[in-house]
């Protein structure tokens, strides 16, 4: 009997040693293929690049993952307590893995297997394990990956401080609504900085890692509130908040205020897009969309608004002179006309106008229904607002006002001093651009590249090649003044014939179709005389004028033909503005700039336009 017991004991020891050996070999193989966790020391998460106006106004943000890195020292302690309560209450006491969590996970998974469910029911992951998974591993649900995660968690915990682990976790975790990290979530959900969050908001954000889409506040409002309340319950149980704080936060509504991620100044879209293109050219898309650059531009918001209004008014007034062309669209105005009008997308960067459908026509006055808006969930608002348009308020439409029909959809703008009264508008067919620049520094204070960025992203200030015409003449006169002429020099203003190389004859003429005879240089530039300019260019030579045009930055290439003296070449509004700034600056070349300063993610200045 003793011999049998001894044999059984020996066999048991052998099996145990064999099992340990097999386990050791398995763990050594798993450990041999682990990624290098020390890279976390130098980890730089993709961070949002932010574009600011000269006064600090936020113009735009660019990111593939909307993230704002927040040092752990700047994270409110109450928010840390909320995450620990929701995700890992023993975070400060365990060494990377939680024994209680592992036991719970084993129990849940064994019960699932007993019921025929082979899926992993939960891994009991600690915050440290989540860092290991999110930074170094995949989300594949396998036992091998879970064991790798546990080994890495032990190593990470022994190498990094708890604060460093939390910093990595809180800045990397995905929290829904394209929010990566707690700082981005605070902005995207509540339009607040972290320090502005109240307890209810912190608890909601802390409850999101488990499944952001499951607690989306608009699609699943009840689940969102329940999850927030669960976090509050855990914070109370862990002693982080009092009963009074718990009850007050639990009784609050979840007032989610989604933050607009587009251009923050509706009149500056062309400007910010030009800055984006320049940053992409200088630093590349990876830095632009993940480098966390802070860009201070030259734009003055108030001047930008003035510039946009000046260009818009000029284009609209010119277009009014061409007459009314017809409605934007036609819909059925019977019944609920709201959805039909709402389906027509307006220009979202012309807030002065709105779309409206003509509901009924009358003698000199029509009733209209204004396009309804959407709520924060994107659902159509139930209210239907109406108004009137009168022929007296839309005189530019003229006789065509009587031709308006029910169902016509048109742009309208409120009439000052007349409640519920509107005037008809239409998108101009003509386009233009405007650049306002400091002539001493080249700083672009305002830039508008067209009537509407929503309609056309083509920037006519920087991309459109146009003939400068008579605005090029000062360059010709500058070259003359530098080469022997004075304002009192006399040039003949009389008919001239130029024989071209192909034998054809060019007879330049003045706009007024008259000739003044011998006239001073000063008079020639004041009256913008074409023939005098051609004679002047013929005398000093087009090669010299070409050289001056290049020095002023107007052209990169220019054919030395006399017609170019009258501005028949092609250049941009930006280049012409810089050339005039150079003239105003005493001839010192001005290079236009849209960017004052660029800082990297750590606040170090890496670019200044005047250095």
């Amino acid at each position: 009997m003793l011999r049998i017991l001894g044999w059984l004991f020996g066999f048991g020891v052998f099996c145990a040693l064999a099992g340990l050996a097999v386990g050791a070999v398995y763990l050594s193989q798993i450990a041999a293929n682990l990624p290098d966790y020390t890279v976390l020391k130098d980890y730089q998460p993709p961070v949002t690049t932010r574009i600011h106006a000269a006064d600090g106004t936020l113009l735009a943000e660019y990111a593939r993952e909307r993230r704002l890195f927040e040092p752990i020292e700047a994270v409110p302690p109450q928010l840390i307590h909320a995450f620990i309560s929701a995700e890992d209450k023993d975070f400060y006491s365990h060494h990377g893995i939680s024994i209680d969590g592992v036991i719970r996970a084993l129990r849940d998974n064994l019960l699932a297997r007993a019921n025929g469910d082979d899926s992993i029911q939960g891994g009991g992951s600690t915050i440290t394990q989540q860092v290991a998974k999110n930074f170094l591993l995949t989300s594949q649900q396998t036992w091998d990956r879970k064991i790798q995660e546990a080994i890495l968690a032990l190593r990470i915990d022994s190498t990094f401080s708890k604060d460093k682990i939390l910093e990595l976790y809180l800045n990397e975790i995905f929290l829904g609504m394209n929010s990566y990290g707690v700082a981005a979530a605070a902005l995207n959900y509540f339009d607040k900085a972290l320090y502005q969050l109240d307890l209810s908001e912190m608890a909601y954000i802390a409850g999101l890692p488990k499944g952001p889409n499951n607690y989306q506040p608009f699609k699943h409002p009840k689940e969102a509130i329940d999850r927030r309340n669960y976090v509050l319950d855990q914070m109370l149980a862990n002693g982080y908040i009092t009963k009074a704080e718990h009850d007050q936060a639990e009784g609050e509504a979840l007032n989610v205020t989604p933050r607009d991620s587009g251009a923050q100044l509706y009149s500056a879209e062309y400007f910010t897009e030009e800055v984006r293109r320049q940053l992409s050219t200088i630093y590349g898309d990876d830095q632009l969309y993940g480098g966390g650059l802070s860009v201070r531009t030259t734009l003055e918001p108030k001047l930008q608004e003035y510039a946009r209004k000046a260009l818009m008014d000029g284009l609209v007034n010119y277009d009014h002179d061409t007459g009314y062309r017809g409605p934007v669209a036609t819909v059925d105005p019977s019944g609920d006309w709201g959805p039909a009008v709402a389906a027509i997308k307006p220009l979202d960067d012309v807030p002065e106008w709105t779309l409206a459908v003509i509901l009924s026509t009358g003698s000199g006055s029509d009733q209209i229904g204004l396009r309804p808006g959407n709520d924060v969930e994107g659902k159509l608002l139930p209210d239907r607002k109406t108004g009137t348009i009168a022929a007296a308020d839309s005189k530019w439409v003229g006789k065509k006002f009587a031709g308006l029909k029910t169902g016509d959809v048109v742009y309208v703008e409120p009439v000052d001093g007349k409640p519920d009264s509107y005037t008809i508008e239409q998108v101009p067919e003509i386009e233009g651009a405007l650049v306002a620049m400091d002539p001493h520094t080249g700083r672009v204070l305002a830039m508008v590249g067209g009537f509407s960025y929503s309609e056309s992203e083509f920037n006519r200030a920087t991309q459109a090649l146009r003939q400068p015409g008579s605005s090029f003449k000062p360059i010709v006169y500058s070259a003359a003044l530098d080469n022997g002429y004075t304002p009192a020099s006399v040039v003949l203003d009389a008919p001239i014939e130029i024989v071209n190389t192909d034998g054809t004859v060019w007879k330049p003429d003045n706009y007024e179709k008259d000739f003044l005879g011998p006239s001073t240089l000063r008079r020639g530039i004041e009256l913008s005389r074409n023939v005098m300019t051609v004679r002047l260019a013929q005398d000093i030579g087009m090669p010299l004028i070409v050289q001056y045009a290049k020095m002023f930055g107007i052209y990169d290439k220019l054919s030395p033909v006399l017609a170019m003296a009258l501005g028949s070449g092609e250049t941009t509004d930006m280049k012409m503005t810089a050339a005039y700034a150079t003239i105003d600056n005493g001839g010192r070349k001005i290079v236009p700039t849209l960017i004052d300063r660029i800082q990297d993610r750590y606040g170090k200045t890496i670019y200044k336009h005047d250095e």
Side-chain angles (χ1 to χ4, degrees), residues 34-70:
L34 289 177
D36 182 12
Y37 68 94
T38 60
V39 298
L40 297 178
K41 292 180 180 179
D42 303 315
Y43 176 71
Q44 293 185 343
V47 179
T48 301
T49 289
R50 312 183 85 190
I51 313 295
H52 300 269
D55 65 353
T57 301
L58 180 64
L59 297 179
E61 296 177 327
Y62 298 106
R64 294 190 181 98
E65 298 179 357
R66 293 176 65 184
R67 178 187 286 106
L68 300 174
F69 185 81
E70 200 77 26

Side-chain angles (χ1 to χ4, degrees), residues 314-373:
L315 296 176
V316 168
N317 291 337
Y318 183 92
D319 189 72
H320 280 182
D321 291 340
T322 67
Y324 176 69
R325 292 186 296 277
V328 174
T330 303
V331 300
D332 182 1
S334 61
D336 185 5
W337 43 265
V341 183
I344 304 172
K345 189 178 186 305
L347 299 178
D348 53 22
D349 57 349
V350 187
E352 299 91 344
W353 298 0
T354 186
L355 288 172
V357 59
I358 297 176
L359 300 176
S360 63
T361 59
S363 179
S365 180
D366 299 344
Q367 186 181 26
I368 58 172
L370 303 180
R371 181 181 187 272

Side-chain angles (χ1 to χ4, degrees), residues 355-414:
L355 288 172
V357 59
I358 297 176
L359 300 176
S360 63
T361 59
S363 179
S365 180
D366 299 344
Q367 186 181 26
I368 58 172
L370 303 180
R371 181 181 187 272
N374 297 341
D375 60 19
V376 293
E377 299 180 48
K379 296 179 181 178
L380 200 65
L381 293 171
D383 295 341
R384 300 290 179 264
K385 296 181 180 180
T386 60
T388 59
I389 52 174
D393 295 325
S394 303
K395 293 180 179 179
W396 70 273
V397 178
K399 295 180 180 180
K400 291 184 178 180
F401 188 89
L404 295 174
K405 303 183 296 296
T406 57
D408 283 355
V409 178
V410 296
Y411 278 106
V412 296
E413 183 177 12

